[in-house]
């Protein structure tokens, strides 16, 4: 193996990690801690304070005070923009450390850091630009009996509770942090217990930007305790959640107490459609990485691969051959393309679906078994797996696996493939591979999903919205539409004559 980094980042050498509340790094009120594990080796890498309800109460009180009474209220859009630009510079300066932290804690191959850097910095700077671009409007009204001036104000919604997943720690964090700082909200963040370290390191950098105490608070812990307390807290005005459908439903019910505003970016079982006229040199690796990228731990992964019947056998063969060329290994290895799954729990979940696929009658063309050779004996490795002859009713074709497992199915005509694409409770991502612009436009219009990628997959840009239809949730990340959920609109009427 060609291990890129032999030393632990400095952040991991300074003892147990605390939580950030009201500008101070503090231990959990209970004194509890938990360990986070390197999924490439199964070894513990850090001890982290375990937040619970009392810690959430303290953090919400700090965020509430910072929003209602603190100096943050007096920050102008330019001032908030300066905070974000300073943060971007600090993240840029320390990005190699962030890449190493995420590689160690959640198994993202460190070789992906160049693209990750561009995306993270692009998001922060986009939000910095938006801080000075948010405004209300003057509205021409038709009221009789006098002269009335009418206009709208867009004001921050208040305290935001952000619950962030483990599968993309940095991007998920910035997706929630950016609109909070741009609009003037305050926040309490609950990172995933399986990937808390980059959030805590980012908190350290935030403290260097000049942001007032209490504007951003970070409470690591488990969903059933810290996450549940945040979701139901009466001092929280909005919840922004990314994660599973089941947890999203619980959050929605918990929010009813004070009718919190809620945005949910949930799961997916995205269709990826390949026509016979597609450029196979583009479509084969594109469709493969649409599913296998980040070890399949992507909510919008193209896991239902629907291929035109006339090229179904050829495409499956080429897909399986390509998947076998992908290097699976330690996330710090310079040659690794597919890292480990994030945890033993996730390994067991995905392994269960491999067994289920076989029992349902699907045929394995590549992968299909846990890798347990000497180099990977203690890690959580599943190779890219291709199932063919999958029926639409099979569970591997309907349930989100969240691993490097693709299910291929044939189709024969346009109406059939559109119907098959939409035959799911989800609606997050989708892909189409064709040279025919008519087919592309037809499916772009008829697929019920928040993103349609044509002759590409997983393209992301700060200016483009990302989010779901149906049980994939509602609300958007990125783009101008995201800010609607962090702002209240106030109507102002003035009688002038």
């Amino acid at each position: 193996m060609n291990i890129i980094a032999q030393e632990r980042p400095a952040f991991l050498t300074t003892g147990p990690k605390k939580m950030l509340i009201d500008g101070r790094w503090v231990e959990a009120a209970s004194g509890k801690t938990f360990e986070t594990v390197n999924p490439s080796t199964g070894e513990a890498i850090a001890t982290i304070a375990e937040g619970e309800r009392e810690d959430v109460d303290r953090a919400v009180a700090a965020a509430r005070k910072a929003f209602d009474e603190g100096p943050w209220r007096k920050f102008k859009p330019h001032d908030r923009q300066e905070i974000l630009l300073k943060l971007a510079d600090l993240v840029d300066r320390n990005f190699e450390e962030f890449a190493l932290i995420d590689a160690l804690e959640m198994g993202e191959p460190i070789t992906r850091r160049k693209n990750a850097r561009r995306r993270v910095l692009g998001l922060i700077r986009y939000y910095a630009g938006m801080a000075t671009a948010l405004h209300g409007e003057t509205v021409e009204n038709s009221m009789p009996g006098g002269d009335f001036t009418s206009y709208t104000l867009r004001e921050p919604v208040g305290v935001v509770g952000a619950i962030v997943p483990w599968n993309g720690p940095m991007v998920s964090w910035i997706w929630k942090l950016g609109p909070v700082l741009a609009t003037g909200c305050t926040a309490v963040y609950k990172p995933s217990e399986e990937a808390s370290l980059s959030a805590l390191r980012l908190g350290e950098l935030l403290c260097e930007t000049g942001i007032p105490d209490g504007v951003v608070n970070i409470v690591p812990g488990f969903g059933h305790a810290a996450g549940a307390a945040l979701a139901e807290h009466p001092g929280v005005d909005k919840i922004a959640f990314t994660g599973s459908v089941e947890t999203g439903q619980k959050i929605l019910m918990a929010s009813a107490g004070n009718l919190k505003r809620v945005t949910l970016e949930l799961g997916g079982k995205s269709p990826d459609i390949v026509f016979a006229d597609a450029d196979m040199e583009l479509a084969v690796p594109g469709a493969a990485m649409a599913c296998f990228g980040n070890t399949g731990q992507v909510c919008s992964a193209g896991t239902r691969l629907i291929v035109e019947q006339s090229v179904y056998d050829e495409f499956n063969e080429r897909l399986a051959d390509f998947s076998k060329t992908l290097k699976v290994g330690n996330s710090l290895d310079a040659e690794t393309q597919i890292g480990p799954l994030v945890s033993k729990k996730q390994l067991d979940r995905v392994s269960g679906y491999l067994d289920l696929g076989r029992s349902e009658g699907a045929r394995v063309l590549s992968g299909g078994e846990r890798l347990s050779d000497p180099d990977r004996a203690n890690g959580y490795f599943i190779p890219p797996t291709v199932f063919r002859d999958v029926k639409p009713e099979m569970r591997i074709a309907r349930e989100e696996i969240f691993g490097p497992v693709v299910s291929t199915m044939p189709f024969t005509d346009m109406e059939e493939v559109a119907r098959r694409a939409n035959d799911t409770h989800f609606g997050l991502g989708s892909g189409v591979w064709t040279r025919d612009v008519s087919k592309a436009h037809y499916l772009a219009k008829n697929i019920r999903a928040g993103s349609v990628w044509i002759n590409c997959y997983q393209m992301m840009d700060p200016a483009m919205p990302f989010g779901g239809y149906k049980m994939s949730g509602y609300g958007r990340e990125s783009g101008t539409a995201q800010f609607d959920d962090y702002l209240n609109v106030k109507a102002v009427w003035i009688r002038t004559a």
Side-chain angles (χ1 to χ4, degrees), residues 338-417:
I338 307 295
L341 294 166
V342 71
S343 65
K344 176 65 163 55
K345 177 182 177 181
Q346 192 65 13
L347 175 70
D348 291 342
R349 172 185 169 84
V350 175
S351 296
Y353 275 105
L354 298 181
D355 294 338
L356 179 63
R358 290 189 183 87
S359 69
E360 289 182 316
R363 181 153 63 96
V364 176
L365 296 183
S366 65
E369 299 283 353
R370 176 184 180 180
L371 296 177
S372 57
D373 56 82
D375 286 340
R376 292 172 286 214
N378 296 317
Y380 312 135
F381 297 99
I382 294 284
T385 297
V386 177
F387 278 111
R388 66 161 291 165
D389 302 329
V390 176
K391 306 299 183 185
E393 64 274 12
M394 291 181 179
R395 286 178 59 189
I396 60 169
R398 304 203 67 80
E399 299 177 10
E400 186 175 36
I401 298 173
F402 229 60
V405 182
V406 67
S407 298
T408 76
M409 297 165 275
F411 77 91
T412 56
D413 62 68
M414 185 77 78
E415 289 187 3
E416 176 197 2
V417 77

Side-chain angles (χ1 to χ4, degrees), residues 244-261:
S244 71
V245 170
E246 293 76 16
T247 303
Q249 290 170 324
K250 292 177 182 177
I251 286 172
L252 194 59
M253 289 186 285
S255 72
N258 67 333
L259 294 179
K260 290 177 184 65
R261 190 175 298 189

Side-chain angles (χ1 to χ4, degrees), residues 223-299:
H224 67 271
L230 190 58
E232 67 186 32
H233 202 291
V236 173
D237 301 298
K238 168 183 164 55
I239 290 289
F241 172 74
T242 299
S244 71
V245 170
E246 293 76 16
T247 303
Q249 290 170 324
K250 292 177 182 177
I251 286 172
L252 194 59
M253 289 186 285
S255 72
N258 67 333
L259 294 179
K260 290 177 184 65
R261 190 175 298 189
V262 177
T263 51
L264 302 170
E265 198 266 275
L266 306 177
K269 194 68 179 178
S270 300
D272 199 10
I273 299 165
V274 180
F275 284 91
D277 64 7
D279 179 346
M280 294 299 165
E281 299 304 315
L282 188 67
V284 170
M289 298 313 294
C291 177
F292 303 144
N294 204 32
T295 320
Q297 299 168 128
V298 179
C299 48

Side-chain angles (χ1 to χ4, degrees), residues 8-9 11-12 15-17 33-50 100-107 166 169 191-200 220-222 341-344 380:
R8 289 157 59 87
F11 177 65
L12 298 184
K17 302 299 143 196
T33 61
F34 64 95
E35 286 187 333
T36 185
V37 172
N38 179 349
S40 291
T41 64
E43 298 171 342
I45 56 175
T47 300
I48 301 172
E50 183 180 333
L100 184 54
I101 288 170
D102 282 352
L104 285 168
E105 189 178 29
M106 63 80 55
W166 50 261
S192 168
E193 65 274 14
E194 291 171 326
S196 299
L197 292 175
S198 59
L200 296 170
F222 292 83
L341 294 166
V342 71
S343 65
K344 176 65 163 55
Y380 312 135

Side-chain angles (χ1 to χ4, degrees), residues 67 118 162 188 197 202 242 259 317 339 355 422 429 454 480 486:
F67 182 78
R118 176 182 175 89
V188 178
L197 292 175
L202 196 64
T242 299
L259 294 179
E317 183 178 346
D355 294 338
N422 293 326
I454 298 171
T480 58
Y486 291 80

Side-chain angles (χ1 to χ4, degrees), residues 200-212:
L200 296 170
R201 179 66 180 117
L202 196 64
E204 290 186 345
L205 297 187
L206 269 173
C207 292
E208 297 181 30
T209 65
I211 194 170

